[in-house]
């Protein structure tokens, strides 16, 4: 049974194990999920449906932008007029290029993640769209130059090695990366459907895109193999046992690859590690914690894992407003979907 957010602050261990299965393999069959968890496939499917219907967890297909070397991802810190922060956040949440929004502590009110086709599109977005919002007083933009790890790889780690082996035993081998080809409208429609539901069946994907079952399977395999789309399973952070999220703006030597490798491999709670350009900080870390009491220990843990890292600023997420195309309710549950149409012109009519 799904634990209702009004009744409990944390999902059951079994539900978190089910979510973890789909973090390992977002499109795993219910038979393989059932084998991993020791339960009937129908029961596993039913429990997931209740989690999904309540907004406690969801699977998303996220466009990565890897189809083009010019594709641009940026983190923008937004400072709002005092009385208009909520209004501004709700407006930005409806924009397809704004993938994620968080209300944060510190010098800026909102932190947003923006994806566009290229730097020129980012400039147009910042100057002509974001700059025209009345409630925004100032912004600071950091262009992501390399993503070392993102929330796509984050896992609850509720499964043991045997369960993971059962879950992945019959995985279909992915085809080798094919020669780069431009995305067409069918590819984009397929990715947008996966953004709505990353577990959408091949038959439903075919009906939604007008493609045959064979073509859907071939294109989906190709998009995943070329990392044009990545599938991820998210859960309401407030219900998952990891309710606290911190962003740390850091500085390392530009040639220090050892530090980023050590962070990705050895820093517990690390959700995001991205190199950025646009300020004194050149590395952004997103770290999840189980309680407020863990937050003060983050700096000391970082010092042990990455002694050459300097933390320049630290902010705490007060509320998750949008995550990878999902507008969230105050409890962090998925309430509404905004298609992540990152290929469209960022200037709205």
């Amino acid at each position: 049974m799904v634990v209702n957010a009004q009744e409990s602050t944390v999902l059951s261990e079994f539900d978190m194990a089910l979510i973890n299965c789909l973090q390992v393999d977002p499109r795993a069959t219910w038979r393989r999920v059932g084998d991993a968890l020791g339960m009937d496939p129908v029961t596993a499917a039913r429990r997931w449906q209740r989690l999904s219907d309540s907004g406690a967890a969801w699977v998303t297909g996220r466009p990565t932008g890897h189809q083009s070397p010019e594709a641009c991802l940026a983190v923008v810190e937004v400072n709002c007029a005092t009385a208009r922060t909520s209004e501004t956040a709700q407006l930005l949440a409806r924009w397809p290029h704004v993938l994620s929004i968080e209300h944060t502590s510190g010098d800026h009110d909102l932190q947003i993640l923006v994806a566009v086709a290229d730097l020129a599109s980012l400039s147009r977005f910042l100057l002509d769209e974001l700059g025209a919002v009345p409630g925004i007083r100032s912004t600071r933009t950091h262009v992501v130059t390399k993503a070392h790890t993102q929330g796509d790889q984050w896992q609850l780690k509720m499964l043991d090695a045997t369960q993971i082996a059962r879950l992945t035993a019959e995985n279909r081998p992915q085809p080798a990366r094919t020669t780069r080809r431009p995305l067409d409208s069918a590819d984009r429609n397929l990715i947008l459907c996966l953004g709505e539901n990353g577990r959408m069946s091949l038959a439903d994907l075919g009906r939604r895109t007008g493609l045959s079952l064979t073509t859907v399977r071939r294109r989906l395999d190709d998009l995943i193999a070329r990392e044009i789309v990545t599938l991820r399973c998210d859960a309401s952070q407030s219900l998952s046992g990891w309710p606290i999220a911190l962003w740390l703006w850091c500085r390392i030597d530009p040639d220090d690859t050892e530090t980023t490798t050590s962070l990705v491999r050895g820093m517990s709670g690390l959700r995001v590690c991205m190199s950025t350009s646009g300020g004194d900080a050149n590395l952004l870390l997103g770290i999840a914690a189980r309680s407020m009491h863990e937050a003060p220990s983050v700096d000391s843990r970082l010092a042990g894992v990455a002694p050459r890292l300097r933390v320049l600023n630290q902010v705490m997420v007060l509320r998750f407003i949008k995550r990878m195309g999902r507008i969230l309710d105050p409890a962090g549950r998925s309430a509404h979907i905004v298609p992540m149409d990152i290929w469209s012109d960022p200037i709205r009519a």
Side-chain angles (χ1 to χ4, degrees):
M1 176 179 179
V2 172
V3 180
N4 190 290
Q6 281 80 22
E7 298 171 355
S8 174
T9 57
V10 180
L11 295 167
S12 72
E13 288 192 7
F14 201 96
D15 285 332
M16 287 194 282
L18 176 57
I19 291 168
N20 197 174
C21 285
L22 299 188
Q23 290 175 330
V24 173
D25 185 351
R27 289 183 66 86
T29 65
W30 292 123
R31 182 178 63 80
R32 286 197 284 118
V33 171
D35 287 345
L37 299 181
M39 68 186 308
D40 180 81
V42 174
T43 303
R46 184 170 62 246
R47 290 180 72 119
W48 171 254
Q49 191 63 53
R50 296 180 69 179
L51 282 169
S52 179
D53 289 346
S54 72
W58 57 94
V59 174
T60 299
R62 178 181 71 83
T64 63
H66 288 175
Q67 80 283 355
S68 167
E70 291 82 27
C72 181
L73 192 68
V75 178
V76 183
E77 298 172 294
V78 180
N79 196 18
C80 302
T82 303
R84 304 191 68 171
T85 302
S86 179
E87 175 188 351
T88 301
Q90 295 306 317
L91 171 64
L92 298 182
R94 296 195 293 271
W95 293 4
H97 298 86
V98 177
L99 305 188
S100 300
I101 305 176
E102 291 153 353
H103 182 208
T104 60
S105 66
D107 296 334
H108 293 83
D109 302 301
L110 304 174
Q111 182 166 297
I112 68 175
L113 183 67
V114 177
V116 288
D118 50 36
L119 287 173
S121 297
L122 179 62
S123 177
R124 281 161 52 77
F125 174 85
L126 295 170
L127 293 176
D128 300 336
E129 186 163 21
L130 198 62
V133 176
I136 293 179
R137 297 174 60 183
S138 64
T139 64
R140 180 185 296 169
T141 302
H142 308 263
V143 176
V144 176
T145 56
K146 183 175 182 179
H148 305 282
T149 189
Q150 293 181 265
D152 311 330
Q153 291 83 41
W154 169 256
Q155 293 188 22
L156 293 173
K157 298 190 183 300
M158 300 293 293
L159 307 178
D160 59 32
T162 300
Q163 290 174 308
I164 292 174
R166 290 173 180 167
L167 181 67
T168 59
E170 298 177 21
N171 274 356
R172 236 172 13 109
Q174 288 296 329
R177 295 189 186 189
T178 58
T179 303
R180 179 183 294 167
R181 61 176 179 81
L183 294 187
D184 58 23
S185 60
D187 290 319
R188 292 193 292 269
N189 287 337
L190 185 58
I191 294 171
L192 291 175
C193 287
L194 292 169
E196 180 182 329
N197 176 9
R199 288 187 60 81
M200 189 176 291
S201 70
L202 295 178
D204 285 342
L205 287 170
R207 281 190 286 270
R208 292 284 295 273
T209 61
L211 302 173
S212 70
L213 197 66
T214 301
T215 301
V216 167
R217 180 182 289 109
R218 176 174 51 79
R219 286 191 180 236
L220 180 58
D221 287 346
D222 177 62
L223 291 170
I224 292 173
R226 292 195 293 145
E227 298 181 349
I228 305 302
V229 65
T230 186
L231 300 170
R232 55 185 281 165
C233 180
D234 281 299
S236 166
Q237 197 149 335
S238 63
L239 305 178
S240 70
W242 295 84
I244 307 301
L246 304 170
W247 287 105
L248 284 77
W249 295 94
C250 308
R251 178 126 196 123
I252 61 172
D253 187 292
D255 299 322
D256 185 1
T257 58
E258 183 180 342
T259 289
T260 54
T261 300
S262 297
L263 285 166
V264 172
R265 292 179 178 175
M267 183 63 187
S268 62
L270 183 72
R271 283 183 62 96
V272 176
C273 178
M274 299 189 298
S275 295
T276 63
S277 175
D280 292 335
N282 62 3
L283 192 70
L284 177 60
L285 306 180
I287 296 176
R290 292 187 178 276
S291 72
M292 293 281 286
H293 302 295
E294 290 185 18
S297 69
V298 168
D299 284 356
S300 60
R301 290 195 291 121
L302 280 172
V305 175
R308 293 190 294 272
L309 178 83
R310 280 197 302 131
V311 177
L312 304 183
N313 189 28
Q314 181 182 130
V315 301
M316 182 176 290
V317 176
L318 306 178
R319 178 183 165 187
F320 300 93
I321 296 169
K322 186 179 184 183
R323 173 170 285 175
M324 290 300 166
R326 301 277 177 146
I327 297 178
L328 309 179
D329 71 9
R333 294 169 300 186
S334 175
H336 185 65
I337 301 168
V338 177
M340 292 179 281
D341 188 3
I342 67 173
W343 310 277
S344 62
D345 190 321
I347 307 305
R348 296 156 61 88

